[in-house]
Amino acid sequence: YVGALYGALPRGGVLARFGVGHDGIDKAAATLAGVLCTNTPGVLDQSVAEFTMALVVGAARRVPMMDAAMHAGAWTPREGIELAGKTLVVVGCGRIGRAVARIAGKGFGMRVIGLVRSAAQTSATGDADFAEITTDVARALGTADFVTLHMPSSPENRHYINADTLALLPARAWLIN
């Protein structure tokens, strides 16, 4: 059984995913059905980075809370925080993570720390837009005002953020996924 999607496509058909990963594509079923799979890496890097920063700005300025209050018929302005000088931890320093670091650092004056899984990635992804790139989860998360996740959906990354890692965050920190 190869599933309705894979069975509906002819052998040699193409399943193209608009985005970076192959999340949600059963590559074994596609192979069995003779369906070719492709994606479009790089196409959405800037868009995802901009949306990430929109979420960071929304959190910093309490936009969701003010929106909810306005929809409830109340005008309850909330004091937000400025992003300049705040620490953003970018988990995953690939193309999108680097784009977020560039916008956060150069556009908002944030201190950006890259968090990667292996020491080999610290030099491989070295980038001037990061104040540092580290594998030290406790140190990075312990300094965070904001954390953004930009890692592939894979078995080894499943539950990377969990109760233990959340406990490392300061009470002031926001997690942007």
Side-chain angles (χ1 to χ4, degrees), residues 102-171:
R102 177 181 42 78
I103 295 168
K106 291 184 175 151
F108 290 96
M110 297 181 82
R111 178 174 178 265
V112 184
I113 297 173
L115 182 57
V116 294
R117 291 196 140 214
S118 73
Q121 293 174 300
T122 59
S123 58
T125 60
D127 193 309
D129 294 319
F130 292 95
E132 69 175 293
I133 298 177
T134 184
T135 59
D136 189 336
V137 176
R139 190 169 56 82
L141 294 183
T143 65
D145 294 296
F146 298 89
V147 177
T148 63
L149 305 179
H150 304 284
M151 53 201 316
S153 174
S154 62
E156 62 270 9
N157 289 333
R158 185 173 171 83
H159 301 297
Y160 182 78
I161 299 296
N162 56 38
D164 294 334
T165 52
L166 288 173
L168 298 170
L169 293 171

Side-chain angles (χ1 to χ4, degrees), residues 32-144:
L32 185 63
V35 173
L36 304 172
C37 298
T38 186
N39 63 351
T40 55
V43 171
L44 298 175
D45 296 355
Q46 184 68 20
S47 292
V48 172
E50 288 176 8
F51 186 69
T52 297
M53 289 310 299
L55 293 173
V56 169
V57 170
R61 294 300 177 164
R62 311 283 186 200
V63 172
M65 294 80 150
M66 288 191 295
D67 178 67
M70 288 200 54
H71 276 87
W75 172 246
T76 54
R78 311 238 176 171
E79 187 176 325
I81 60 169
E82 291 184 358
L83 295 177
K86 297 297 186 273
T87 299
L88 171 66
V89 175
V90 176
V91 181
C93 300
R95 286 186 319 270
I96 294 171
R98 288 192 310 269
V100 170
R102 177 181 42 78
I103 295 168
K106 291 184 175 151
F108 290 96
M110 297 181 82
R111 178 174 178 265
V112 184
I113 297 173
L115 182 57
V116 294
R117 291 196 140 214
S118 73
Q121 293 174 300
T122 59
S123 58
T125 60
D127 193 309
D129 294 319
F130 292 95
E132 69 175 293
I133 298 177
T134 184
T135 59
D136 189 336
V137 176
R139 190 169 56 82
L141 294 183
T143 65

